[in-house]
């Protein structure tokens, strides 16, 4: 029998032990249930995003004092979001919105495995899908069709087995949602093979679009969990190869003049009629390269499938380089990685960028009615809401109804990216005698500008003679023409870098920078917004993580020194073309998403003053676009100015996020500022893989750059290659 002293000693020993955290997977579940990103959690705990990732995948554990703070946070979340226990769960769980329950008899459906026949030597061992394994063959060499869901698939007639090898895995895949066992999407080929993420290959017997949609919803197990607790699950995506499109009764290409012009099938096409006859609907975009087929939701269960037709140019070559020509397994890998890191594709990368904003900041949330006690849909703080909002006249475009109807003639915001070339008359002999012109490109400059960016959430309010406040987002009419700056640098107030000639409308960041440079500003008018917030923060955090992680998979990591970084960037696209395509798509998502905030009218029949479809979106917000671009341009000028102070160097040209400098060597390290310790000096351009840092864009002879400048062309546009004579894009 233990004595009282022994018992107390044992208890004291337990109290002295470090706090015990839940398993790594539970940590991730609790954070996601709370709707918090890894980046935001890292910020709260004064750690890095990678550190939080390590905690959630079990690679490392927090140490005091973060350990106690992290445990306290997890305990609070655990009380709010308890895990579902097996005993509490119903025998057959009800499908969540957008999910479909797996069938009981899966012998004929998209993504269904055939019954598993276990190896006699290991009856209890699960058969893992090895994405790197070649197709199994008989002794004679003919491909053998797997008897179950598998990473290996026999080649279709006319193709070699090696041409159909599944893509290699990219990285450890996060724990999948049990409602969507086959991932977010599948690429369907003409032989009925549906290629999913992680190398799985599934059977699809559908021969019509209607059958494909119904089987996908009923039996496929495709989809993705919502990115925010107030949002919606992603609808399953089926990507059709040219052969699959033909098999389903679709044309291999949009051939008719009307079809090519409208990028959609005619309303009297047999497939469109079949869809309507089966009581399914198409969105206003119709049946085009990205077709959304749906019925009204039944309760909380969505009924919607997204189709993408590859041979109709669903994957634009500029945003998805080389992807459309890949084998189906590789296409599934590219789109699957993008879906896991960004969002399940729903259209062009520009559309995806805009959809990601809404998915991360849903416009509504469930709100309890205090009188009735019922739950209703209410405004989600920090979002843009559900109703479109007209801009102030100076924030709009010339064809916008608020401009035309009011007869507005007071000017517009001109917050655009730089397109500037220094006058050749301002080049010195010393600069002209330098051997090289070196181009630096800022990584995802718009994304870096979106970080912690305060934007307006409510409608514009007009003020006369306001006192400037750099913390209020809006548009200010102010005269900055009296500010005289070094002509060897572009003006920070205009996109072409010329000095302003009189009063003009500027976004808050541009006016604040004038103050930062030591100049007095006295606005005459302003359109300001009372409700503000960092709307783009979750968007920035997710895309930044996707960008950095994808670069790291390509061998470009944060721990490289500048020389190693430049060497890794020189060959990173050759490491893995599929992941290089993902990286390109992520960058296009950033730029396209920002551009979509001010989508212009399209079509020859449009008349000035008419409303166009984009205006009916709450995300048609030209003021937010102006804020991002203004901050990006100011960030660029601040670096240019600091470079003069630290090195005495002036740029030759700037084009958006690319700047060209004269250099004594062919590498950026030959002119960038470094401390005596060898570390890069803060404030100027620094090399690195994160948004806002720089990479090498290209190197050309200095004489080449001077020749272009004398022709009025921009060396920054052509620094990658010698196409300046052919390209008169300036």
């Amino acid at each position: 029998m233990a004595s009282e002293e022994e018992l107390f000693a044992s208890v004291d020993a337990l109290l002295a032990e470090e706090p015990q955290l839940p398993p790594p997977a539970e940590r991730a579940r609790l954070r996601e249930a709370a709707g918090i990103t890894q980046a935001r959690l890292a910020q709260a705990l004064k750690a890095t995003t990678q550190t939080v990732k390590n905690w959630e995948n079990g690679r490392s554990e927090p140490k005091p004092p973060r350990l106690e703070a992290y445990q306290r946070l997890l305990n609070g979340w655990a009380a709010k979001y308890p895990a579902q226990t097996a005993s509490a769960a119903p025998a057959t769980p009800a499908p969540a919105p957008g999910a479909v329950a797996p069938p009981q008899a899966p012998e004929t459906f998209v993504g269904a495995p055939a019954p598993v026949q276990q190896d006699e030597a290991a009856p209890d061992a699960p058969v893992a899908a090895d994405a790197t394994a070649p197709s199994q063959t008989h002794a004679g060499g003919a491909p053998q069709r797997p008897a179950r869901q598998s990473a290996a698939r026999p080649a279709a007639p006319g193709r070699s087995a090696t041409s159909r090898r599944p893509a290699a895995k990219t990285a450890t895949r996060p724990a999948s949602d049990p409602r969507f066992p086959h991932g977010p999407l599948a690429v369907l080929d003409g032989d009925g093979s549906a290629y999913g993420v992680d190398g799985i290959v599934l059977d699809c017997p559908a021969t019509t679009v209607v059958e494909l949609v119904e089987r996908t919803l009923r039996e496929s197990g495709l989809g993705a969990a919502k990115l925010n607790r107030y949002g919606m699950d992603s609808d399953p995506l089926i990507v059709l190869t040219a052969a699959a499109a033909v098999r389903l009764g679709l044309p291999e290409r949009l051939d008719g003049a009307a079809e090519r012009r409208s990028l959609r099938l005619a309303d009297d096409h047999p497939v469109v009629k079949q869809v309507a006859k089966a009581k399914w609907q198409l969105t206003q975009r119709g049946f085009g390269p990205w077709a959304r087929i749906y019925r009204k939701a039944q309760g909380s269960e969505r009924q919607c499938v997204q189709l993408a037709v590859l041979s109709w140019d669903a994957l634009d070559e500029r945003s998805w380089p080389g992807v459309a020509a890949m084998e189906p397994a590789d296409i599934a890998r590219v789109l699957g990685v993008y879906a896991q890191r960004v969002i399940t594709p729903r259209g062009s990368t520009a559309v995806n960028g805009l959809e990601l904003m809404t998915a991360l900041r849903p416009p509504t949330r469930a709100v309890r009615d205090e009188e009735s006690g019922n739950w209703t849909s209410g405004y989600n703080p920090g979002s843009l809401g559900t109703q479109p909002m007209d801009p102030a006249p100076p924030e709009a475009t010339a064809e916008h109804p608020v401009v035309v109807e009011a007869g507005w003639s007071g000017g517009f915001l001109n917050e655009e990216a730089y397109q500037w070339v220094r006058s050749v008359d301002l080049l010195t002999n010393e600069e002209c005698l330098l051997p090289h012109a070196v181009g630096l490109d800022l990584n995802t400059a718009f994304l870096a500008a979106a970080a912690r960016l305060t934007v307006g959430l409510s409608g514009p309010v007009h003020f006369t003679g306001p006192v400037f406040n750099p913390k209020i987002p809006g548009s200010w009419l102010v005269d900055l023409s009296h500010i005289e700056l070094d002509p060897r640098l572009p003006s920070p107030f205009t996109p072409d870098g010329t000095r302003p000639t009189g009063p003009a409308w500027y976004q808050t960041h541009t006016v604040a920078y004038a103050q930062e440079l030591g100049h007095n500003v006295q606005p005459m008018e302003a359109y300001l917004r009372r409700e503000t917030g960092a709307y783009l923060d979750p968007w920035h955090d997710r895309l930044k993580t996707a960008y950095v992680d994808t670069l790291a998979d390509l061998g470009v990591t944060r721990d490289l020194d500048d020389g190693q970084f430049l060497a890794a960037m020189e060959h990173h696209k050759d490491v893995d073309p599929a992941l290089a395509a993902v990286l390109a798509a992520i960058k296009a998502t950033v730029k396209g998403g920002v551009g979509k905030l001010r989508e212009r009218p399209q079509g020859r029949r449009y008349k000035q003053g008419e409303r166009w479809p984009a205006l009916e979106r709450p995300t048609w917000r030209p003021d937010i676009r102006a804020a991002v671009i203004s901050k990006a341009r100011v960030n660029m000028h601040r670096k240019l100015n600091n470079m003069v102070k630290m090195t005495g160097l002036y740029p030759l040209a700037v084009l958006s996020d690319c700047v060209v400098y004269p250099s004594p060597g062919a590498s950026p390290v030959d002119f960038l500022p470094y401390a005596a310790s060898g570390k890069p000096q803060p404030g100027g351009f620094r090399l690195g893989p994160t948004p806002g840092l720089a990479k090498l864009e290209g190197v050309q002879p200095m004489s080449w750059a001077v020749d272009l400048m004398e022709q009025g062309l921009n060396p920054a546009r052509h620094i990658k290659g010698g196409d300046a004579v052919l390209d008169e894009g300036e």
Side-chain angles (χ1 to χ4, degrees), residues 154-419:
R159 294 181 182 171
S160 66
T162 55
S163 71
R164 281 307 195 97
R165 68 184 185 277
K169 288 186 178 179
T170 302
T172 302
R173 185 182 173 194
S176 60
D177 191 310
R179 298 171 299 156
F180 311 116
H182 296 136
L185 56 89
V187 180
L188 181 61
D189 207 357
D191 63 353
S193 304
Y195 296 80
V197 298
D198 287 351
I200 63 172
V201 184
L202 313 158
D203 291 329
C204 176
T207 57
T208 68
V209 168
V210 170
E211 184 184 2
L212 173 64
V213 169
E214 292 178 347
R215 288 184 178 276
T216 298
L217 286 174
R218 187 174 67 245
E219 304 161 351
S220 73
L222 293 174
K226 55 192 175 185
L227 299 180
N228 182 286
R229 56 177 170 165
Y230 299 128
M232 296 183 295
D233 295 328
S234 290
D235 299 315
L237 168 64
I238 303 294
V239 181
L240 305 179
T241 65
V246 172
R247 179 184 180 183
L248 296 173
L250 298 169
E252 182 174 344
R253 295 196 173 275
L254 297 175
D255 293 327
E259 290 178 349
R260 289 196 306 270
R261 186 168 56 249
S262 63
L263 294 178
R264 56 191 288 177
L265 290 179
D267 292 341
D268 60 354
H269 190 278
V271 171
V272 176
K273 289 183 176 180
Q274 289 171 11
V275 170
K277 185 177 180 181
K279 306 301 182 183
W280 290 95
Q281 300 181 58
L282 293 163
T283 62
Q284 291 184 348
R285 289 189 297 179
F287 206 121
W290 290 90
R292 187 173 286 271
I293 302 176
Y294 70 98
R295 283 177 181 156
K296 289 186 178 181
Q298 294 180 350
S300 61
E301 183 178 346
R302 287 171 59 82
Q303 296 189 91
C304 184
V305 174
Q306 178 81 57
L307 300 182
V309 187
L310 292 174
S311 56
W312 297 1
D313 300 325
L315 299 180
D316 184 88
E317 177 66 20
R318 294 167 296 180
S319 302
W320 302 92
V323 177
M326 292 180 179
E327 288 296 320
D330 295 308
I331 297 173
R333 178 177 174 232
V334 170
L335 298 180
V337 172
Y338 180 88
Q340 291 164 6
R341 296 183 176 179
V342 182
I343 193 172
T344 302
R346 305 178 185 182
S348 67
T349 48
V351 169
N352 296 338
L354 208 61
E355 292 282 350
L356 182 62
M357 294 179 195
T358 304
L360 293 168
R361 292 277 200 190
T364 61
R365 65 172 182 171
V367 178
R368 184 184 292 276
D369 187 318
E370 296 299 333
E371 294 183 1
S372 65
N374 296 328
W375 289 94
T376 60
S377 179
Y379 171 67
N380 184 24
S383 75
L384 298 182
T386 59
Q387 298 302 314
M389 186 182 300
D390 280 340
E395 298 167 348
T397 56
E399 65 272 16
H400 196 285
V402 301
V403 173
V404 175
E405 293 171 5
W408 174 261
S409 58
F412 299 95
L413 279 176
N414 188 25
E415 300 288 11
E416 301 295 341
Y418 269 134
Q419 294 193 49

